[in-house]
Amino acid sequence: MSGKDLFREIGLVKEEYITEAEEYKRSIIHNVAFQRGLAVAACLVVCGGLYWGVGYHSVSSDSTAQSTNDANNVYTEMDSATVMDNSENVAPKEENAMDMEAVAGENMGNYSEDCEESERSDGFFADGTNIQNSTTVKNEETASEPETTMKDIQCIDTSNMSGEDVAVWEAFVKTTETKTPSQIKISSELEEGTVSWTEVRYDGECFQVLWENEMGEATGFEETYLYLNQIEEEDTVQVVLSDERIETKEQLKQEEHVLHLFSYEKE
Amino acid sequence: MEDSQIIELYWKRSEEAISETTKKYGKLCRHIALNIVGNHSDAEECENDTYVAIWNAIPPNRPNSLSAFLSRIARNIALNRYDYNKAQKRNHEFDLVLSELEECIAGKSSVEDAYEEGVVATMIDDFLAGLSKEKRVIFVRRYWYSDGVKDIAKRMCISESKVKTTLFRVRKELQDYLGERGVVV
């Protein structure tokens, strides 16, 4: 049986699947329209609330100007205190980033920016699990102040690597041995455009890379993970692209998770 | 006009049936044909042949879904045209669709590979029934309508990479499924 025979056989599938595929777009449009309607309604409610709040506030401030001033002073003091608290919380994270930058070398030169970027872009990940996981990792980092000692440097030049249909990309990766998940920089180029940065987590067994496209949109890449699986006995590094989160090395070996598997000899 | 009304017009042998079909489904037929034959003039001819074929098919047929019925005819006509054209020119996008499908079959064809028409289709029906709706739609859009990956992504509001990933997996699942049922060459 040739591909064309199979194509002909697919032509004989039930009508309901054909109409389902034809009508699927419409249902999505309806959903989008519904969501937009909801968003507009929510905006109206918020605007209405703000309008009402401002009106109420201006009336009450006219009558109780002195008390409001007092209250404002209190708020200002509280805000300052909050900012100080926050800056204290942020400081270890910055130190951590500085350490990482120092360790990572030239390929990781813009690490601080990446850290900021990563925090800013948390919201881009559509999958709630990912957001939660990312946050958890950051908290762990801040809490435990990981030692990032460079044990082994791998420069994987994948410029000759060509994904069959998913991605053509280049990656320069430096690995660090850390006690806790850490972030390193990886630059990749995909068919659809350049991937500007990624968050890489090392869990002691493999690297998990979360990436997004150059527009800062998570479309396409929010569910794509890249795993570097070092196989000591074969002296190779497997690069596995998967659209599912893989927790263990055993899972990594399961074919169903693997989109592309490349093996390289280490330099 | 409702599909049932158009079908009634065919049954009454009214030529208005053709104009109403063109108005409602002309674009769909052309789209399906274009995906297979790869050029507009051939696609237009396929579309016209489709109208002739449906004129001859209704009556006696009374399809439940006119769009599916028309699409199927357009697809078959376009596929025949593709065969006809194949010697001289190729449609690379459609060749890609066929080569992807060949992945689902583990070998080369031989004389013993005579499958009764429709038997594999029934298996594919069962296979599709076990897929999620999203996967099924992606599969059908790609291998029934021969839509490009980009078009599918746009239609379904997902990324191209997601479409490619899904197709990769479904092809693999289909290969296993058919293999288990003896469709292995």
Side-chain angles (χ1 to χ4, degrees):
Chain A
M1 179 179 258
S2 66
K4 202 161 67 187
D5 293 334
L6 187 55
F7 185 79
R8 281 189 190 279
E9 291 289 336
I10 290 171
L12 299 172
V13 296
K14 284 179 186 168
E15 277 183 2
E16 63 183 85
Y17 298 142
I18 302 162
T19 42
E20 178 187 61
E22 183 56 29
E23 287 167 1
Y24 193 78
K25 187 183 182 180
R26 290 174 208 160
S27 63
I28 284 182
I29 289 170
H30 285 317
N31 284 343
V32 170
F34 179 69
Q35 283 167 5
R36 282 183 184 162
L38 273 182
V40 169
C43 281
L44 285 173
V45 168
V46 169
C47 290
L50 284 173
Y51 180 76
W52 181 81
V54 168
Y56 178 81
H57 188 71
S58 62
V59 169
S60 64
S61 65
D62 288 344
S63 60
T64 58
Q66 184 58 43
S67 62
T68 307
N69 284 338
D70 291 346
N72 280 342
N73 290 337
V74 172
Y75 287 140
T76 309
E77 284 173 19
M78 282 179 68
D79 287 346
S80 305
T82 311
V83 169
M84 298 245 323
D85 286 349
N86 284 341
S87 65
E88 281 169 9
N89 287 336
V90 167
K93 218 183 252 186
E94 284 174 353
E95 280 175 24
N96 181 26
M98 294 285 281
D99 287 345
M100 290 289 291
E101 189 173 355
V103 168
E106 60 181 11
N107 282 340
M108 299 166 67
N110 294 326
Y111 182 78
S112 300
E113 287 173 25
D114 292 339
C115 276
E116 287 169 18
E117 187 85 353
S118 75
E119 292 192 357
R120 186 164 52 78
S121 63
D122 274 350
F124 291 137
F125 295 112
D127 183 349
T129 317
N130 289 347
I131 294 170
Q132 208 169 9
N133 287 337
S134 301
T135 312
T136 310
V137 170
K138 286 188 181 73
N139 289 341
E140 283 172 15
E141 277 180 33
T142 311
S144 59
E145 295 182 8
E147 293 173 21
T148 53
T149 53
M150 183 76 78
K151 184 195 177 191
D152 181 21
I153 298 175
Q154 298 168 2
C155 288
I156 303 169
D157 182 0
T158 62
S159 53
N160 294 326
M161 195 168 76
S162 167
E164 281 174 17
D165 57 358
V166 170
V168 179
W169 49 278
E170 295 179 355
F172 295 91
V173 182
K174 284 190 172 185
T175 65
T176 56
E177 187 187 60
T178 58
K179 288 179 180 174
T180 55
S182 64
Q183 292 183 316
I184 59 172
K185 183 187 171 90
I186 179 171
S187 64
S188 312
E189 194 172 307
L190 296 173
E191 266 180 340
E192 292 87 353
T194 303
V195 174
S196 55
W197 72 276
T198 53
E199 179 187 327
V200 182
R201 293 168 53 193
Y202 181 58
D203 63 5
E205 286 192 328
C206 60
F207 287 86
Q208 179 190 6
V209 181
L210 308 176
W211 58 27
E212 60 188 56
N213 70 11
E214 77 277 16
M215 301 301 289
E217 294 167 342
T219 50
F221 309 116
E222 77 272 26
E223 292 176 346
T224 306
Y225 299 86
L226 177 145
Y227 294 87
L228 302 178
N229 182 25
Q230 192 170 344
I231 306 172
E232 292 293 346
E233 60 270 23
E234 294 175 17
D235 203 28
T236 59
V237 175
Q238 290 178 324
V239 182
V240 180
L241 286 172
S242 169
D243 66 346
E244 280 185 15
R245 183 181 157 77
I246 298 173
E247 300 289 350
T248 66
K249 209 166 185 174
E250 285 308 308
Q251 272 183 302
L252 195 65
K253 290 174 188 169
Q254 289 170 14
E255 218 167 272
E256 63 188 85
H257 291 294
V258 178
L259 287 182
H260 286 278
L261 185 69
F262 306 99
S263 291
Y264 293 92
E265 287 188 8
K266 282 194 296 184
E267 286 186 0
Chain B
M1 188 180 276
E2 290 295 316
D3 285 0
S4 56
Q5 290 172 298
I6 298 174
I7 291 168
E8 276 311 312
L9 288 175
Y10 277 109
W11 274 82
K12 287 175 187 167
R13 311 311 287 162
S14 164
E15 286 181 14
E16 198 191 340
I18 300 285
S19 60
E20 288 298 329
T21 307
T22 311
K23 210 185 292 176
K24 194 167 181 184
Y25 293 116
K27 204 175 160 186
L28 175 68
C29 293
R30 214 161 36 247
H31 174 76
I32 291 168
L34 185 62
N35 279 345
I36 295 174
V37 296
N39 72 73
H40 288 276
S41 61
D42 279 351
E44 267 178 42
E45 280 188 40
C46 290
E47 184 193 347
N48 291 332
D49 289 349
T50 304
Y51 299 139
V52 175
I54 198 166
W55 179 259
N56 293 329
I58 307 175
N61 292 296
R62 193 181 279 277
N64 292 325
S65 163
L66 185 61
S67 69
F69 192 73
L70 261 173
S71 303
R72 204 189 292 271
I73 291 173
R75 189 179 186 269
N76 287 335
I77 288 172
L79 202 52
N80 291 337
R81 175 58 63 102
Y82 170 81
D83 283 341
Y84 180 78
N85 290 346
K86 198 181 171 185
Q88 284 130 15
K89 51 191 175 182
R90 301 180 74 83
N91 173 3
H92 291 292
E93 178 63 28
F94 185 61
D95 286 341
L96 188 63
V97 169
L98 293 184
S99 69
E100 283 173 11
L101 282 173
E102 272 175 11
E103 286 175 22
C104 302
I105 308 154
K108 306 277 179 199
S109 58
S110 68
V111 185
E112 295 84 39
D113 309 329
Y115 291 97
E116 195 181 332
E117 192 179 76
V119 171
V120 178
T122 311
M123 291 180 196
I124 295 170
D125 271 341
D126 295 340
F127 171 76
L128 290 177
L131 294 179
S132 68
K133 187 176 179 181
E134 190 187 55
K135 279 186 178 179
R136 189 164 56 234
V137 168
I138 291 173
F139 182 87
V140 172
R141 289 305 319 180
R142 179 65 174 159
Y143 301 119
W144 204 98
Y145 289 93
S146 315
D147 278 356
V149 169
K150 206 172 187 174
D151 296 332
I152 298 170
K154 200 174 164 187
R155 166 181 282 267
M156 303 193 64
C157 302
I158 54 175
S159 67
E160 286 179 46
S161 128
K162 172 92 176 172
V163 173
K164 287 171 181 172
T165 305
T166 306
L167 287 172
F168 178 82
R169 289 189 170 181
V170 173
R171 281 203 305 272
K172 201 148 177 36
E173 285 171 31
L174 179 61
Q175 182 185 5
D176 294 342
Y177 188 88
L178 292 178
E180 284 167 14
R181 281 150 188 81
V183 187
V184 178
V185 186

